[in-house]
Amino acid sequence: MSWMMMFFAHDQRVGAVFLRVVPNRSQFFEYEPVTFYCEGVSHDNVLHKLKDKIQPCSNSNKKTATGSSCTVNAVYVDDSGKHWCETREGKRSNIINITVTAGSVILESPAVPVMEGEDVTLSCRSKMNSSTFTADFYKDGLHISSSSKRIVTLHKVSKSDEGLYKCSISGAESPESCLNVTDSFITFIESSECSCNVYLILRTVFTIMLVALLLLLLGLLHYGKIGATTANSCSTSCKCNCHGTGNKQI
């Protein structure tokens, strides 16, 4: 249903360019195949990715009924980064952030934003075939669930469910992926960046402010101790001088 709504929204916006990835997830093991579909562009436009520079996806480009596709038969860690479609006129699609890992665990979460009110299932996948290990799931660094089935379902997601998710199996952790929630795919197409970037910035600023406050508090405490020591020393000296002066007057 969500894909039907997405393409309906896409059709209602003339000239919209939309990128999707198959399978629909943002994390991949090395050497897995990945196919990018660019919808709403002419066939001679190709997928680009952002790394140190913009490069065309030239592994296997094909025409489709609604645009073009590019299949990468085996992805590598260096293929991690932002991917999008771009027309000759410079119009860009939404951005999909792909993470390719050489590790043993990945989190299978949607690569594109999900609609508010939908149920979203996150799956933790390991290269180890054993099914005896339990998967632990985390959001923004906090543990949210444990599952022997290695899945967790977020029911009727809302904006509060946005964040960075990861999972672990037997101590091996997956990379973090951003889950975006939107109320309109048209809004999603027009807004490329992942809103979790804002969360990362806020978290970094909060951490810096917290460290600064702690340093300030330690400084004040240290200054207070010095002040108290000086005051006590001065008070003792004054008493001694006054006592000595009094004796001289007698």
Side-chain angles (χ1 to χ4, degrees):
M1 178 63 71
S2 62
W3 283 109
M4 291 176 64
M5 293 176 65
M6 178 182 63
F7 283 118
F8 176 77
H10 171 263
D11 290 340
Q12 295 303 305
R13 190 172 185 273
V14 178
V17 182
F18 181 75
L19 176 67
R20 60 188 177 94
V21 59
V22 177
N24 179 24
R25 50 187 167 91
S26 56
Q27 294 185 17
F28 296 87
F29 290 122
E30 270 197 311
Y31 315 120
E32 284 192 304
V34 181
T35 300
F36 298 93
Y37 288 92
C38 194
E39 312 289 351
V41 297
S42 57
H43 295 150
D44 56 353
N45 287 289
V46 297
L47 177 78
H48 290 68
K49 69 176 181 180
L50 177 65
K51 191 170 170 265
D52 295 331
K53 60 182 180 180
I54 299 176
Q55 300 176 1
C57 178
S58 57
N59 290 47
S60 176
N61 289 292
K62 295 181 179 180
K63 296 179 180 180
T64 67
T66 54
S68 60
S69 69
C70 176
T71 298
V72 182
N73 295 321
V75 290
Y76 299 92
V77 173
D78 287 343
D79 292 316
S80 299
K82 297 177 180 179
H83 295 70
W84 69 90
C85 296
E86 186 171 328
T87 66
R88 289 183 174 181
E89 293 75 24
K91 181 180 293 184
R92 290 189 178 186
S93 70
N94 54 297
I95 291 176
I96 292 181
N97 201 353
I98 297 298
T99 300
V100 182
T101 179
S104 61
V105 176
I106 60 171
L107 175 70
E108 294 185 340
S109 60
V112 296
V114 295
M115 291 287 289
E116 280 188 314
E118 285 189 339
D119 291 345
V120 178
T121 298
L122 308 179
S123 175
C124 196
R125 185 154 68 93
S126 173
K127 288 182 178 178
M128 299 177 291
N129 294 324
S130 176
S131 60
T132 59
F133 297 111
T134 296
D136 293 299
F137 294 87
Y138 302 84
K139 177 192 175 188
D140 299 334
L142 300 177
H143 184 267
I144 59 171
S145 178
S146 296
S147 171
S148 58
K149 295 182 178 180
R150 303 183 183 182
I151 62 172
V152 62
T153 301
L154 308 177
H155 297 284
K156 296 182 178 180
V157 294
S158 63
K159 284 290 185 179
S160 63
D161 292 303
E162 287 189 333
L164 292 173
Y165 289 82
K166 67 178 180 180
C167 68
S168 66
I169 297 177
S170 189
E173 285 192 350
S174 72
E176 285 185 317
S177 281
C178 177
L179 178 67
N180 249 352
V181 180
T182 182
D183 58 355
S184 167
F185 271 105
I186 294 179
T187 302
F188 156 61
I189 291 172
E190 292 177 341
S191 178
S192 297
E193 294 297 335
C194 178
S195 64
C196 291
N197 292 334
V198 177
Y199 164 78
L200 287 174
I201 294 173
L202 292 176
R203 185 172 67 175
T204 302
V205 171
F206 176 77
T207 302
I208 293 173
M209 291 180 63
L210 182 61
V211 171
L213 287 173
L214 288 174
L215 291 174
L216 178 61
L217 179 60
L218 289 174
L220 290 174
L221 290 173
H222 184 64
Y223 176 80
K225 288 181 180 180
I226 294 176
T229 302
T230 304
N232 290 335
S233 176
C234 179
S235 177
T236 302
S237 175
C238 180
K239 287 181 180 180
C240 291
N241 290 336
C242 290
H243 181 69
T245 302
N247 288 340
K248 288 180 181 179
Q249 288 178 350
I250 293 172

